Amino acid sequence: MTNPVFFAEPSEFDGVAPGALFVLTGAEARHAVAVKRLAAGEAVDIVDGTGKRLSGTVTAVAPQELTVRAESLAVDPAPPYRLTLVQALAKGDRDEMAIEAATELGVDSVVPWQSERSIVRWRDAKAARGQAKWEATVKAAAKQSRRAVIPEVGPLVGLKDLCRLIASSRLALILHENAEQSLADAVAEAGLPGDGDGSVLMIVGPEGGMSPQEVEQMLAAGAVAVRLGPHVLRSSTAGPAAVTLLSVLLRRW
């Protein structure tokens, strides 16, 4: 079984080596001591959110501190390709459900998309709150799934910026119920898996679907429309399903 994970700032790892004592403080320490009730002698991992992982044994606990003797310090290897989920804003927290599950499954970054048919709109202060909520969601999901990397949450994009992302990616997949090509066939036609370099985008529309104009412009930018299977998936499940399939097809799993 893997060790429970707690986050520290990257700078806190400076100068730490195997055998040294690492003192975790703040909210993460309080969670470890008061909620998880860790005790001396238990194994634990401290990660910095960018891939670095300290594995060790708890030597002491206090209300605001967790002291760990470092046994190893390593960087989790980056998987081949970079999976990015472009998730349209959706009502009923379905967009947050999608990025939470995608994070647990290993997505590398998520991008909020203000689609033409998105009922939810991020404007002014609401945009900042929405961004912060997405960041908190992926951080909590990364912790739950014991990842050393917290996926990046990109800024809100409209169709124009999304088309720029498509043009710069190795492969961009529009998950669309009316597509005739399968995701697996699109991956094979793109020559993947290959050298493991580049970004693969998965684009998911809102609960009302994408407009024909949006699909047309994304296809013109270089995206490929694909289907995941015989059934129509909700906006909250299409992205995680694609992450799962791509993780196998691209040999990330």
Side-chain angles (χ1 to χ4, degrees), residues 9-247:
E9 293 298 321
S11 59
E12 296 181 67
F13 285 82
D14 294 344
V16 177
L21 291 178
F22 182 92
V23 180
L24 181 69
T25 60
E28 288 291 277
R30 289 193 296 274
H31 185 251
V33 175
V35 179
K36 302 296 288 186
R37 297 192 177 278
L38 294 183
E42 295 191 69
V44 68
D45 284 359
I46 311 295
V47 301
D48 71 348
T50 67
K52 189 172 290 186
R53 183 184 299 269
L54 180 157
S55 296
T57 302
V58 177
T59 61
V61 297
Q64 303 289 329
E65 291 184 353
L66 184 77
T67 303
V68 177
R69 185 172 297 281
E71 296 170 359
S72 66
L73 189 66
V75 176
D76 284 8
Y81 303 103
R82 179 178 176 83
L83 296 185
T84 296
L85 173 60
V86 178
Q87 177 69 47
L89 302 184
K91 65 179 181 179
D93 295 333
R94 292 194 182 281
D95 48 8
E96 291 166 30
M97 293 167 60
I99 64 171
E100 178 181 57
T103 296
E104 294 174 9
L105 292 165
V107 79
D108 299 297
S109 60
V110 297
V111 176
W113 172 32
Q114 189 74 73
S115 175
E116 181 180 318
R117 294 179 176 174
S118 291
I119 296 173
V120 175
R121 315 301 290 183
W122 282 9
R123 294 189 181 94
D124 304 323
K126 189 173 182 179
R129 291 195 301 270
Q131 183 88 12
K133 196 170 183 180
W134 275 41
E135 290 172 353
T137 297
V138 299
K139 183 175 182 179
K143 183 175 182 178
Q144 188 280 329
S145 54
R146 301 182 178 181
R147 294 181 59 176
V149 176
I150 301 172
E152 177 187 355
V153 179
L156 179 70
V157 298
L159 182 59
K160 187 176 181 180
D161 287 333
L162 175 52
C163 287
R164 290 195 185 101
L165 290 177
I166 290 170
S168 64
S169 67
R170 181 73 174 268
L171 177 64
L173 303 168
I174 305 170
L175 308 184
H176 200 285
E177 62 187 81
N178 293 329
E180 296 182 358
Q181 187 175 34
S182 71
L183 182 148
D185 286 346
V187 168
E189 286 188 10
L192 306 180
D195 55 14
D197 189 30
S199 175
V200 176
L201 266 59
M202 300 153 285
I203 305 166
V204 178
E207 56 272 29
M210 308 174 199
S211 72
Q213 294 78 17
E214 287 175 322
V215 174
E216 181 180 349
Q217 290 188 47
M218 287 188 286
L219 292 174
V224 180
V226 299
R227 56 178 170 78
L228 294 173
H231 307 129
V232 177
L233 302 181
R234 292 182 183 270
S235 60
S236 57
T237 53
V243 173
T244 303
L245 287 170
L246 287 169
S247 294

